[in-house]
Amino acid sequence: CVALLPPMRAHLQRREVQAPFVEILAKPEVRWSYLMTALVMASGFTLIPNISAYVQGNLGLPRRELEGLYMMGGVASFVSMRGAGWLVDQTRPVLAATIGVVGFVLTVATMFIWPVSSVPVFFIVFMTVMALRNVAHQTLASRVPLPAERGRFMSVQSAVGHLAGAAGAIGSSQILLTLPGGRVAHIDRVAWLSIALGAAIPFVMWIVERRLAGRATSTQ
């Protein structure tokens, strides 16, 4: 990475006076961006930690096939992230995220609320649409901080994401029950919660985009 990537030191040469982080946090686009990160992470981690137990206990996937399922999902995610990056570059992040969220809602519904039998296919689609919305989210979030604010902004963004993911996982664990035989009860409730959180993502991203567009206009 050191050999191939260009240095990013231009903001140091400008010797800008760094604003206190309280001033950075006072910017509406920063707060909306953190909310966007929280929604992305919470909507995903209400379901992700429970997928293994669900597909085995409820959908009857044998334990020996679980590693193959996750392998296919990982490959799908790796490949789809390249396509997601191209789509985000060709369009707007909010448009790409909306496509990803629509796919996410449909996939969650057909995996957890009204499940169908083809587990591998829907898990691959699930990983693909997750990659699309995550790439769009990260792209838009990277435009929020000014160069001299990037390190502090991203540190807090990471903390917000981890806290939101933990909150989603803990919240879902309070809703779910493990029945005799290994079945997971109330997974449909968790799925609806994930859908509700995920459906808000495009609206928050649209607000962030509008804020950034207004900031760019004011500085011209």
Side-chain angles (χ1 to χ4, degrees):
C1 291
V2 172
L4 297 177
L5 296 177
M8 300 180 67
R9 303 190 185 95
H11 63 289
L12 299 177
Q13 297 171 1
R14 288 196 293 267
R15 298 184 180 277
E16 297 176 358
V17 177
Q18 292 195 357
F21 185 73
V22 174
E23 294 185 15
I24 299 175
L25 192 60
K27 299 178 180 180
E29 63 268 25
V30 171
R31 299 196 300 273
W32 281 109
S33 177
Y34 288 155
L35 176 59
M36 174 179 68
T37 297
L39 289 171
V40 169
M41 297 300 292
S43 64
F45 277 87
T46 54
L47 288 173
I48 290 171
N50 306 300
I51 290 176
S52 174
Y54 172 71
V55 296
Q56 292 179 85
N58 294 52
L59 302 185
L61 186 76
R63 175 66 180 81
R64 64 181 180 276
E65 296 182 14
L66 193 63
E67 60 185 27
L69 180 68
Y70 276 87
M71 182 65 184
M72 288 187 291
V75 171
S77 180
F78 179 83
V79 173
S80 61
M81 287 181 73
R82 274 74 193 151
W86 176 86
L87 180 62
V88 171
D89 287 339
Q90 297 299 313
T91 60
R92 296 163 50 202
V94 67
L95 177 58
T98 301
I99 296 172
V101 167
V102 170
F104 175 80
V105 169
L106 295 175
T107 307
V108 168
T110 49
M111 275 188 68
F112 300 98
I113 301 175
W114 303 290
V116 295
S117 58
S118 184
V119 176
V121 172
F122 282 91
F123 185 70
I124 290 172
V125 175
F126 177 81
M127 296 298 290
T128 299
V129 295
M130 286 280 288
L132 178 56
R133 69 175 200 161
N134 290 349
V135 169
H137 151 250
Q138 290 288 358
T139 301
L140 184 58
S142 70
R143 300 174 183 172
V144 172
L146 300 175
E149 303 168 350
R150 192 173 306 279
R152 288 172 291 169
F153 171 86
M154 294 185 68
S155 295
V156 177
Q157 181 193 38
S158 178
V160 169
H162 283 88
L163 288 170
I170 293 171
S172 64
S173 72
Q174 302 304 305
I175 299 172
L176 297 174
L177 295 173
T178 304
L179 302 177
R183 288 183 61 84
V184 179
H186 306 321
I187 192 70
D188 55 333
R189 299 179 187 179
V190 173
W192 281 117
L193 174 61
S194 178
I195 287 174
L197 293 170
I201 293 171
F203 298 100
V204 177
M205 290 187 69
W206 178 79
I207 293 172
V208 174
E209 276 197 350
R210 290 290 301 271
R211 289 283 180 178
L212 295 179
R215 185 178 72 183
T217 302
S218 65
T219 57
Q220 290 177 354

